């Protein structure tokens, strides 16, 4: 699509040194259109993420409507760092929601990310950059991409980022108005932590003879949000296929506040 930045395939980066990779990415990021321009020149598209009352608030990135009630600002605050763990469906939903809303997203260090599932949730591929193998220093790649992306998803691969370096990247995210989502590792000082766990399925058999057989129609997630500025809370969401699209639906149970306690650091993303 004209006006969209093009990103190299993995084979094009494999022969470059670390500094050459960074220089290449900086050149590509310089070609990314301004966020306001990129949104204004496109017509809205139908997707599985209907706008919530606060989805266009300045300084907030949209999330699936069923998830919005769980978050203090009904979205992801720009300039913040969010830690995401558990079922990959949650991560895909965030990517799909931001790109469907006109934002640009970069995903670093997730070679097995379910792109088809993201598209079925409403993701726009022309606004999605994938860097499955960022090399030995994925944090540096993320810091560069914060210059031009609305959302940067960083897979740490089990790494622990030093507090001093984490603070430097957070300062960069704030100055650029971008949001950083970290997975699969330890990041000191994340402002919010989201954890999704599968708590049920629908469609795998209707009786004792059919149990474990059939086509998966939907799954239920328990999503917990913890942050420094709000009381921990949890809710249940259903993710299922409807007429060729994957829809997020809020379960009947309301958002429930949890007792405050120490926040466990995520160590891995459990794929679904």
């Amino acid at each position: 699509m004209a006006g969209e930045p093009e990103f190299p395939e993995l084979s094009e980066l494999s022969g470059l040194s670390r500094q050459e990779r960074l220089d290449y990415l900086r050149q590509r990021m310089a070609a990314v259109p301004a966020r306001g321009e990129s949104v204004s020149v496109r017509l809205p598209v139908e997707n599985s993420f209907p706008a919530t009352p606060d989805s266009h608030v300045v300084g907030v990135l949209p999330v699936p409507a069923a998830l919005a009630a769980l978050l203090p600002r009904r979205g992801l605050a720009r300039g913040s760092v969010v830690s995401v763990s558990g079922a990959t469906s949650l991560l895909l939903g965030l990517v799909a929601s931001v790109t469907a809303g006109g934002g640009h997203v970069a995903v670093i260090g997730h070679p097995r990310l379910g792109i088809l599932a993201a598209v079925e949730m409403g993701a726009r591929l022309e606004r999605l950059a994938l860097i499955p193998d960022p090399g030995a220093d994925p944090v540096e790649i993320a810091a560069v991409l914060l210059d031009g992306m609305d959302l940067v998803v960083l897979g740490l691969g089990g790494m622990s980022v030093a507090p001093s370096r984490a603070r430097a990247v957070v300062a960069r995210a704030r100055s650029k108005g971008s949001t950083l989502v970290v997975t699969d590792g330890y990041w000191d000082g994340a402002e919010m932590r989201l954890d999704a766990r599968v708590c049920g399925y629908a469609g795998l058999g209707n009786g004792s003879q059919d149990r474990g057989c059939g086509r998966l129609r939907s799954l239920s997630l328990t999503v917990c949000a913890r942050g420094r500025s709000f009381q921990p809370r949890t809710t249940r969401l259903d993710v299922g296929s409807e007429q060729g699209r994957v829809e997020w639906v809020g379960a009947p149970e309301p958002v429930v506040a949890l007792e405050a306690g120490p926040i466990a650091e995520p160590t891995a993303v459990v794929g679904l």
Side-chain angles (χ1 to χ4, degrees), residues 6-271:
E6 297 180 359
F7 289 85
E9 297 293 336
L10 176 60
S11 58
E12 298 180 41
L13 288 177
S14 59
L16 302 180
S17 68
R18 174 177 173 275
Q19 187 58 49
E20 288 172 335
R21 290 187 184 195
L22 294 176
D23 292 341
Y24 192 98
L25 288 171
R26 288 191 176 99
Q27 293 174 6
R28 290 300 187 183
M29 295 313 305
V32 177
R35 295 188 183 104
E37 175 187 351
S38 66
V39 174
S40 63
V41 297
R42 294 177 175 83
L43 295 176
V45 295
E46 291 185 3
N47 55 72
S48 59
F49 300 98
T52 61
D54 300 324
S55 62
H56 298 292
V57 173
V58 175
V60 176
L61 294 178
V63 299
L67 181 65
L70 190 66
L71 308 181
R73 299 183 63 183
R74 299 184 64 83
L76 302 179
R78 287 187 179 272
S80 66
V81 177
V82 180
S83 176
V84 173
S85 61
T88 312
S89 298
L90 175 59
L91 184 62
L92 293 173
L94 297 178
V95 170
S97 185
V98 173
T99 58
H104 289 90
V105 177
V107 180
I108 304 167
H110 281 275
R112 296 183 179 180
L113 190 71
I115 303 303
L116 176 59
V119 171
E120 291 175 341
M121 291 183 186
R124 301 295 300 272
L125 293 183
E126 67 272 20
R127 302 187 184 117
L128 178 61
L130 300 174
I131 306 171
D133 182 10
D137 194 357
V139 177
E140 181 65 23
I141 302 298
V144 172
L145 292 174
L146 286 170
D147 279 347
M149 292 292 179
D150 298 280
L151 177 67
V152 174
V153 177
L154 172 60
L156 292 173
M159 293 173 50
S160 178
V161 180
S164 58
R165 193 172 192 199
R167 287 193 295 269
V169 177
V170 170
R172 188 178 186 88
R174 288 175 179 168
S175 67
K176 302 301 180 180
S178 301
T179 300
L180 177 64
V181 167
V182 294
T183 69
D184 193 20
Y186 176 76
W187 185 281
D188 182 70
E191 296 183 24
M192 181 167 62
R193 303 190 186 280
L194 299 175
D195 179 73
R197 301 292 169 181
V198 178
C199 60
Y201 300 92
L204 297 180
N206 298 317
S208 59
Q209 295 181 346
D210 298 328
R211 191 174 303 278
C213 301
R215 184 181 297 274
L216 180 66
R217 295 196 307 269
S218 67
L219 58 84
S220 296
L221 300 177
T222 298
V223 182
C224 177
R226 298 176 182 269
R228 293 181 291 181
S229 61
F230 63 94
Q231 186 178 7
R233 55 187 74 168
T234 185
T235 191
R236 205 194 85 189
L237 305 173
D238 292 334
V239 183
S241 177
E242 291 290 341
Q243 300 180 347
R245 298 185 306 176
V246 175
E247 304 281 354
W248 288 69
V249 180
E253 290 86 349
V255 173
V256 178
L258 304 175
E259 293 184 4
I263 299 177
E265 296 295 340
T267 56
V269 174
V270 180

